[in-house]
Amino acid sequence: MNATPLTASQTTDPLAASAEYALPPATERLASRCAQIGEHAFTSRDYGAIPIRHIVLLRFANHVPTATRESMIERFLRLKDDCLRDGRPYIRSIEHGRQESGEGNGFGFEHAFFMTFDSEGDRNFYVGEPIVHDATCFDPVHHAFKAAIGPLLAPQGVLVFDFFPGAR
């Protein structure tokens, strides 16, 4: 797969949607690696066995009541205990906070979740689709959560960013 270069509107507006840009570089790289080694290896506990951070920013749709938002936040935080591999939790930690910056660059995102996984394989198992398609290779609890929260989010209401601490 060859990624199409960013258009001018995409370089100035990071939230702009465009069909011209099929896959971000990380997505393309991960999908290629998954295809090379297979979904079972890509999601194994020992694949990329160093901690990885997973940041999720959320922006709910305006019509979603506060009680529903709070319920979904609590459900998100429970994923730490509800998401299991071999009968035990595999998410090392989840922290949550509301947007508190006064800089005006929050793009409307309201909630941040900062997660740590012990390995890239655990993160891959957690994330599942769109890269992992075999249902035995991704977490059904997280998969159901994504399906439940998706309709409650504003357009482009989720931003996900993963990184390895200290990597350049």
Side-chain angles (χ1 to χ4, degrees), residues 21-110:
Y21 187 59
L23 291 174
T27 304
E28 186 175 323
R29 185 177 64 253
L30 290 169
S32 175
R33 184 67 177 147
C34 183
Q36 288 174 346
I37 67 172
E39 292 182 351
H40 287 278
F42 187 71
T43 59
S44 71
R45 281 187 179 276
D46 60 347
Y47 176 71
I50 60 172
I52 186 168
R53 305 294 197 265
H54 181 77
I55 300 170
V56 179
L57 303 179
L58 296 180
R59 177 178 49 237
F60 286 97
N62 290 335
H63 66 83
V64 177
T66 301
T68 303
R69 294 171 190 230
E70 293 300 322
S71 174
M72 292 310 292
I73 290 166
E74 289 303 316
R75 186 170 169 189
F76 196 132
L77 294 171
R78 281 196 316 269
L79 292 175
K80 182 181 182 306
D81 297 319
D82 294 347
C83 289
L84 305 175
R85 283 188 96 161
D86 305 320
R88 60 181 208 253
Y90 64 92
I91 299 170
R92 184 192 294 179
S93 66
I94 300 179
E95 295 177 67
H96 164 259
R98 291 185 49 83
Q99 161 61 302
E100 294 296 336
S101 174
E103 295 179 75
N105 292 318
F107 297 103
F109 288 100
E110 307 162 89

Side-chain angles (χ1 to χ4, degrees), residues 1-6 20-26 28:
M1 281 187 224
N2 291 327
T4 305
L6 290 172
E20 295 177 21
Y21 187 59
L23 291 174
E28 186 175 323

